[in-house]
Amino acid sequence: MNEKRAQILATALKLFVTNGFHATPTSKIAKEAGVATGTLFHHFKTKEELINTLYLETKGEMTQSLSTKVEEQETIKGKLRQIFFNAIHWAVNHTNHQLFYSQFSNSAFISNLTRKLGHQRFQFIYDILKQGQEKEILKPISIDLMFEAIDGTLNGITKYLIEHPEKITDEQCLESAFALYWDTLKG
């Protein structure tokens, strides 16, 4: 990735999380990124394009992390457990990305096309949920609803862990959090 483009994205991430979309002018992003405003607009035609690009790149990084070692698991519960702990580790190690995802995943600033492309990156999770339903392990409800329920649960848990970093190494807390997540899914 182009170094200036990467710097713009990293700066935008920090500023969007800290200040929100409206309170983050492109001039401030460019200044803090150490590039000319023209350079920012060379890489991103609009602020909306910038935030949509950041959203897709965040989803891409998250997806790569979430899928780690999932296929090594033999059971549906094992696969979903792996996704859960991958999500927790990713969120606490990429706090600004997690906060950005939580803050902007339902935002009007994210285009429908970007949202659709981002959602496609989670197709492997949808496939696992569908397999779990076919094996009558998971609740027989809409896969979209189930995905939203676990996404919301994970966002709540990661928010809690980010706000209470001492709990990140508390095995009992993490196991209780997984039990909450699993209870959302199991049939």
Side-chain angles (χ1 to χ4, degrees), residues 52-68:
N52 278 272
T53 300
L54 188 57
Y55 177 82
L56 284 176
E57 291 197 7
T58 296
K59 279 259 192 152
E61 289 178 30
M62 180 189 294
T63 302
Q64 190 173 19
S65 180
L66 292 182
S67 63
T68 302

Side-chain angles (χ1 to χ4, degrees), residues 46-91:
T46 64
K47 188 163 90 169
E48 288 77 11
E49 182 182 324
L50 172 60
I51 198 166
N52 278 272
T53 300
L54 188 57
Y55 177 82
L56 284 176
E57 291 197 7
T58 296
K59 279 259 192 152
E61 289 178 30
M62 180 189 294
T63 302
Q64 190 173 19
S65 180
L66 292 182
S67 63
T68 302
K69 297 185 180 180
V70 171
E71 289 306 314
E72 295 174 16
Q73 307 306 313
E74 294 181 16
T75 65
I76 296 296
K77 184 176 183 179
K79 291 176 188 296
L80 292 167
R81 179 183 176 82
Q82 187 68 50
I83 290 168
F84 174 84
F85 283 102
N86 288 346
I88 297 298
H89 292 296
W90 184 84

Side-chain angles (χ1 to χ4, degrees), residues 10-11 34 72 111 114 150 183:
T11 302
E72 295 174 16
S111 74
T114 298
I150 62 172
D183 285 346

Side-chain angles (χ1 to χ4, degrees), residues 23-48:
T24 304
T26 52
S27 58
K28 184 172 185 160
I29 296 169
K31 182 178 179 183
E32 290 202 22
V35 300
T37 303
T39 302
L40 184 147
F41 286 117
H42 169 74
H43 292 284
F44 307 98
K45 304 297 180 220
T46 64
K47 188 163 90 169
E48 288 77 11

Side-chain angles (χ1 to χ4, degrees), residues 20 42 53 70 105 112 117-118 134 152 166 181 185-186:
H42 169 74
T53 300
V70 171
S105 63
N112 288 334
L117 292 171
E134 289 168 355
E166 72 281 0
Y181 167 87
L185 297 166
K186 70 179 179 179

